[in-house]
Amino acid sequence: MGENTGGFVDPSDGVLTEAAAVFGLLASPARLHLMWALSQGESDVTCLADRVGGALPAVSQHLAKLKLAGLVRSRREGRRQIYYVDDPDIVTVVRVTVGQLTARSGQVPAPPVRRLREAGV
């Protein structure tokens, strides 16, 4: 652990490296759009490709990277693979970040602070 400054202890180098890897994965607009879509509910790759406007093979590759990183999980439902986000903290990060940036752009009002606090932010 690092230095204690203002009541906060700096995270270890390992934690910072892992966090940077997660943010690196989310730095792709296509993967971030997929995470945004999945933060609102599970879906199969065909529906996700339609929603984000991507080619099926490209969306599948993005989902494979997100799955390998542990940000997304999947389950089989008949012949379909259903993807979902199983980490409420990642959902919160994506929703708050995209929501705030959307609000700043003037597209929709920002969610009330009360709702953000209820989400654990």
Side-chain angles (χ1 to χ4, degrees):
M1 292 277 169
E3 199 173 306
N4 185 337
T5 307
F8 294 99
V9 176
D10 289 341
S12 69
D13 288 342
V15 168
L16 290 172
T17 299
E18 190 174 342
V22 168
F23 285 120
L25 278 170
L26 297 179
S28 159
R31 285 192 291 271
L32 185 57
H33 197 171
L34 288 169
M35 291 297 293
W36 171 259
L38 289 172
S39 76
Q40 296 165 34
E42 58 186 32
S43 185
D44 68 9
V45 68
T46 304
C47 291
L48 287 168
D50 287 343
R51 180 164 180 184
V52 303
L56 198 60
V59 170
S60 291
Q61 287 182 346
H62 286 304
L63 288 168
K65 288 180 182 181
L66 293 169
K67 190 174 177 182
L68 187 62
L71 298 178
V72 167
R73 290 185 167 198
S74 66
R75 64 178 165 72
R76 182 138 318 266
E77 192 174 274
R79 298 176 70 193
R80 299 179 332 151
Q81 195 78 358
I82 305 297
Y83 291 89
Y84 60 96
V85 181
D86 194 31
D87 184 342
D89 294 331
I90 293 296
V91 169
T92 300
V93 168
V94 169
R95 284 183 177 172
V96 169
T97 302
V98 172
Q100 290 298 313
L101 292 172
T102 301
R104 286 183 197 161
S105 73
Q107 291 181 1
V108 296
V113 173
R114 181 177 88 275
R115 285 200 346 223
L116 294 178
R117 286 195 186 124
E118 290 169 3
V121 177

